Every structure is written in structure tokens, then in C-alpha cells.
Amino acid sequence: MDIPVVLSHRTAALIRRTEHLERLRAAARANGERYGVAPYVEESDLPDIGLSTSGLKASAIVQRIRSALSTWGIPDRDLVRLDVMVPFAEDRVRTRGMDCHTLGRAIGEYDVFPVARGLVTVSDALCFAQAGAWMGSMELIEWAYELCGAYFLPLDGDYAERPVCLTRDELRCQLERYRGVRGAAHALRALNSVHDGARSPMETAQAMMVSCPKSMGGLGYRHIVLNHRVGVPPDYSRYTSAPYYEIDLFAPVRGVGVEYDGDEHSKKARRGHDAERMNVLSLMGYDIKVLTSVQFSRQLDMHRAMNGIAASIGIKVPSSAKFQQAQEQLRRFVTRRWCNGS
């Protein structure tokens, strides 16, 4: 086949949860760095899944794509129907097991990313725009933090670190090209609560509790920076040997930081380092608040902790039952994968 198949919508979102796509991203970055150009994927980097055979029926194409996606780790239950995209309505192909969506214009190279020979997926920005049509606001915001962060969540297993794909401003700029796509307006609104640089789902959870709108249970405070680096002046060398510290979530206007203290910090050596760090930051004038896994796992503890953070950054938190219910829904959402949401 001469024209590649373009995976879109839910199928495109699923392939972003695979190690296969991350390996191709890494190969593209390496090629770009090697030759001093924009990242790109060599044909030799792409697996051959049998789409180059001439005269293939649509049903055979669907089956070969489904088999490849299953091999890459996508559960068969999610492959009953594949979402694909074509330029215009007259390009639709009607066959069992495939839903055809239209872009309304020719599909360019910047709209797609290759995943196999003869198979591409829509770009991150276009996939995010499409997701606005079927994802809820919390899920969209959470995914944008991942896209603009230094980690990704595979379909099975814990999160994995990776270089940042694109910044929030880059994602917003690219979304402007897809304003006519159903869901793009919702996706653009979601970016208002997103910040660059999250390095784990826990950091995303903290940021969402602070920056999401109050209607969603967040504090509605968006003037934050993630993993803010603070240089330690020479005058403080008597207190620490560290040249700098990083604060998980920082509100520059108020000099307030929020740190997550999870179970991984339980070792004595780590405790000692954290205590020194907190003491030095306090001496430097920073007000550091700590959120623990226990607080994230309990509604009342989390409510009190967020009240304390709100007071430190100078905002009022609604006392209504409606807000507390929304805050509890948000807490349960952000902890559903990594904390007991009881």
C-alpha cells in the first residue's frame, strides 16, 4: 500500500501507553541529535507488520494492525474496533472492525508520527485535540501534565521516566492548527490548569489539587512552577553542601513550596537529607508545606492539608459541602492508580 494508515482517537491514545512508541520517540531524538536536525524516525527503525503487500483487503489490513498493536501491549478488548483517520469523507473505508474519522483537509507530515512501515499515528497535539471529544476535564488535564512532563504511564506497570515531549506553550500553539477538530476547544481549556515539568504521577496529583478550578475541587491557583530550582548562596554552606535544591511545586509570588513525601522517603539516610533540606530552605525564607501519601489517601486529612496550603498562598477555600464533594472527587481521581483512595 502506498498511503499509510493513520491511527487516531482512542486507538492513537492507547498506542501512547506502549513501550514501542517510546522506543521510536527515543530513536527519533537520537537521529535528530546525531545529524543536528529535528527529530525523525528512519525507515530502518520501523517494524514491518505486513502492510506493504499489494492488493490487501481492508479486512486484512485491520487484522494485521490489530495483531501488531496486541504485540505492542494493547489489550485485545481495546482492539475490537480501530479508530483511523482519513482526509475527507469520500476517503472513508467501510469495513468491519474499523471506524473512519475525517480531518477535513489533507493530512501533512506534521499531523502524524510513524509507528510501523505503512502505519502512523496522529501527532500528540492532534490526539490531544481529539481526546477533548471523549475525555473528561480531569483526564484531559492529567494527560496534558504527562505530555508536558518527563514521564509516561504504560498500560501495565508503574510510570517510566522519559524526556519531555513538548512544553505547554508548544502544545497550545499546535492545538491552534486543530481548532476545527471536534474536542479541540475542550482540550485548549484544559491547558489552563497545566504546567510544565512534572516528573511523576504524584507531582501531577499535587499540581492538579492546587491548580484545577475550584469547580473541579482544586484551589484554582495557577501561579505555580514545578521542580523549581533554588540556588543555595555561599553564605549557607555551613548548613549544607548542596549547591541547589529543587522544590516540587513552588508559588513564586508567596515563596511557598509544596513537597510530596511518599513511602519511598522512609529510609533513614533519605530522612536526614530531607530534614537538612527543609531546614536550609526555611532559613532562606521559603515556606515549605509537605503532602504525604497518608494525606492523599484520606479525605479529611487531604482537606485540612489543602486548607493549609491555601492559607499560605493567600487564597480562600469555599467551605460549602459542594466544594468538599468536588475536592473529594478530584482526590480520588488523582490517586486512583497509586494510592488507596478510601
Side-chain angles (χ1 to χ4, degrees), residues 24 26-42 45:
L24 290 176
R29 287 191 297 269
N31 291 336
E33 291 171 0
R34 183 179 300 118
Y35 300 111
V37 297
Y40 72 97
V41 179
E42 297 267 17
D45 297 325

Side-chain angles (χ1 to χ4, degrees), residues 10 128-144 183 185-191 193-194 208 212-213 216 330 333 336:
R10 286 178 172 83
F128 187 66
Q130 293 170 343
W134 52 275
M135 278 189 183
S137 295
M138 289 183 191
E139 195 173 2
L140 269 177
I141 292 170
E142 182 184 59
W143 189 26
H186 187 197
L188 278 166
R189 286 194 299 273
L191 284 185
S193 300
V194 176
M208 287 182 67
C212 280
M216 290 173 54
L330 180 59
F333 175 83
R336 69 195 186 282

Side-chain angles (χ1 to χ4, degrees), residues 106-121:
I107 300 171
E109 289 186 7
Y110 55 81
D111 295 318
V112 296
F113 185 84
V115 294
R117 297 179 189 182
L119 184 66
V120 299
T121 177

Side-chain angles (χ1 to χ4, degrees), residues 84-97:
V84 302
M85 189 176 69
V86 296
F88 305 103
E90 56 266 30
D91 300 311
R92 289 178 187 266
V93 176
R94 300 189 184 280
T95 190
R96 185 178 179 181

Side-chain angles (χ1 to χ4, degrees), residues 7 11 14-15 17-20 23 47 49 61-82 115-116 119 155-156:
L7 301 178
T11 306
L14 283 168
I15 203 170
R17 298 293 181 207
T18 65
E19 295 283 355
H20 172 71
R23 284 193 294 270
I49 63 173
I61 291 173
V62 168
Q63 186 54 45
R64 294 186 184 193
I65 294 173
R66 185 180 287 144
S67 177
L69 295 177
S70 177
T71 300
W72 299 336
I74 298 178
D76 290 342
R77 66 177 180 274
D78 294 321
L79 298 174
V80 176
R81 298 193 67 81
L82 303 181
V115 294
L119 184 66
L155 287 167
D156 54 346

Side-chain angles (χ1 to χ4, degrees), residues 110-173:
Y110 55 81
D111 295 318
V112 296
F113 185 84
V115 294
R117 297 179 189 182
L119 184 66
V120 299
T121 177
V122 293
S123 67
D124 288 334
L126 180 49
C127 192
F128 187 66
Q130 293 170 343
W134 52 275
M135 278 189 183
S137 295
M138 289 183 191
E139 195 173 2
L140 269 177
I141 292 170
E142 182 184 59
W143 189 26
Y145 268 103
E146 181 182 341
L147 286 173
C148 302
Y151 73 96
F152 87 104
L153 284 166
L155 287 167
D156 54 346
D158 199 2
Y159 74 95
E161 296 181 356
R162 62 107 186 269
V164 174
C165 292
L166 71 177
T167 67
R168 180 187 65 173
D169 288 345
E170 288 171 343
L171 180 55
R172 188 188 299 278
C173 182

Side-chain angles (χ1 to χ4, degrees), residues 153-275:
L153 284 166
L155 287 167
D156 54 346
D158 199 2
Y159 74 95
E161 296 181 356
R162 62 107 186 269
V164 174
C165 292
L166 71 177
T167 67
R168 180 187 65 173
D169 288 345
E170 288 171 343
L171 180 55
R172 188 188 299 278
C173 182
Q174 292 180 31
L175 280 175
E176 293 292 337
R177 293 204 299 258
Y178 304 115
R179 276 194 171 272
V181 172
R182 181 169 172 263
H186 187 197
L188 278 166
R189 286 194 299 273
L191 284 185
N192 292 330
S193 300
V194 176
H195 299 271
D196 294 329
R199 295 187 294 205
S200 69
M202 294 76 80
E203 291 185 4
T204 289
Q206 281 189 146
M208 287 182 67
M209 294 301 301
V210 173
S211 66
C212 280
K214 292 177 182 177
S215 61
M216 290 173 54
L219 298 183
Y221 190 83
R222 295 172 178 170
H223 307 295
I224 61 173
V225 180
L226 302 187
N227 292 300
H228 176 68
R229 180 172 291 194
V230 175
V232 178
D235 292 348
Y236 289 80
S237 61
R238 56 195 279 185
Y239 309 117
T240 179
S241 60
Y244 66 87
Y245 289 123
E246 287 186 347
I247 302 174
D248 290 348
L249 185 153
F250 184 59
V253 176
R254 294 282 180 165
V256 175
V258 182
E259 294 280 310
Y260 177 73
D261 183 4
D263 293 338
E264 69 274 12
H265 292 169
S266 60
K267 293 182 179 179
K268 289 183 179 180
R270 180 66 182 177
R271 287 286 184 188
H273 176 271
D274 286 345

Side-chain angles (χ1 to χ4, degrees), residues 209 290-309 324 327-328 331 342:
M209 294 301 301
V290 176
L291 285 177
T292 69
S293 57
V294 173
Q295 289 169 314
F296 265 109
S297 69
R298 298 175 181 171
Q299 178 180 5
L300 187 56
D301 288 352
M302 191 61 174
H303 181 64
R304 289 169 174 162
M306 297 311 296
N307 283 347
I309 292 170
Q324 292 185 39
Q327 186 182 68
E328 170 61 2
R331 181 193 70 83
S342 60

